[in-house]
């Protein structure tokens, strides 16, 4: 993988994931969409690197950097989301975001802490992901996620 600018590892190429890919076009982000579902991965914009593979395979081969690696988790299954969170929070990243409600995150936290993941490590996860702009459509969520990612990248204190 190229090690050029900020790298977004986007787990989940569904409706919101595709919208995030489109929203980040023309920004400094190099986007990698990871989804084992060929039918969804083939729909990401051509400027995005689609990885049609299980998330574990991508994670094992990815380059991780506390300065340049950003992670957004928005798969089609809660159990996948939880497994990815558990794995990536232990890796060097600048940002980890998870799509979902505060209730979803509270359940994940309880289970992950029960498995020994330190509270301080889990405090790094942004859930709900994005900044609160009030909208719920895939494009509105994507814009809120893109705004938060860009704010973190550019060092804006309100973004994180």
């Amino acid at each position: 993988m190229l090690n050029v600018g900020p790298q977004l590892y986007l787990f989940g190429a569904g409706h919101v994931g595709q919208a995030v890919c489109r929203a980040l076009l023309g920004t400094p982000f190099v986007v990698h969409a990871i989804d084992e579902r060929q039918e969804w991965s083939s729909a990401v914009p051509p400027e995005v690197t689609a990885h049609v593979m299980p998330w574990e395979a991508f994670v094992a081969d990815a380059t991780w950097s506390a300065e340049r690696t950003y992670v957004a988790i928005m798969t089609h299954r809660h159990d996948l989301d939880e497994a990815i969170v558990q794995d990536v929070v232990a890796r060097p990243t600048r940002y980890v975001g998870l799509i979902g409600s505060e209730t979803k995150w509270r359940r994940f936290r309880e289970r992950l802490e029960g498995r020994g993941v330190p509270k301080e490590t889990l405090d790094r996860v942004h859930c709900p992901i994005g900044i609160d702009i009030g909208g719920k459509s895939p494009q509105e969520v994507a814009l809120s996620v893109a705004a938060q990612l860009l704010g973190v990248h550019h060092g804006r204190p309100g973004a994180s």
Side-chain angles (χ1 to χ4, degrees):
M1 264 177 243
L2 295 175
N3 203 8
V4 181
Q7 306 286 309
L8 173 62
Y9 299 159
L10 175 65
F11 294 93
H15 297 295
V16 176
Q18 290 177 31
V20 170
C21 291
R22 289 188 305 272
L24 288 172
L25 292 177
T27 71
F29 279 90
V30 177
V31 180
H32 300 267
I34 304 96
D35 199 312
E36 61 189 359
R37 303 171 299 165
Q38 175 66 46
E39 66 276 14
W40 287 98
S41 297
S42 63
V44 298
E47 299 86 352
V48 171
T49 303
H51 301 270
V52 185
M53 61 177 54
W55 70 269
E56 301 96 334
F58 178 85
V59 166
D61 291 335
T63 302
W64 299 89
S65 164
E67 293 82 37
R68 289 195 298 254
T69 303
Y70 295 70
V71 175
I73 303 163
M74 49 188 66
T75 74
H76 60 292
R77 292 186 6 223
H78 287 300
D79 61 321
L80 288 178
D81 289 349
E82 187 174 332
I84 295 167
V85 167
Q86 183 171 351
D87 188 298
V88 302
V89 294
R91 298 178 184 274
T93 60
R94 183 152 179 201
Y95 173 95
V96 177
L98 170 67
I99 199 166
S101 65
E102 291 176 13
T103 302
K104 174 183 175 179
W105 180 231
R106 190 171 36 256
R107 288 185 192 129
F108 278 24
R109 278 190 79 105
E110 289 171 4
R111 289 193 294 262
L112 293 170
E113 286 177 11
R115 289 187 212 125
V117 179
K119 177 190 178 312
E120 300 76 31
T121 302
L122 294 172
D123 286 345
R124 297 178 47 227
V125 178
H126 298 266
C127 185
I129 193 172
I131 58 174
D132 184 4
I133 61 172
K136 301 295 181 202
S137 74
Q139 190 62 30
E140 291 168 319
V141 172
L143 291 171
S144 78
V145 171
Q148 187 174 51
L149 291 168
L150 287 162
V152 171
H153 172 67
H154 292 296
R156 295 297 189 219
S160 58

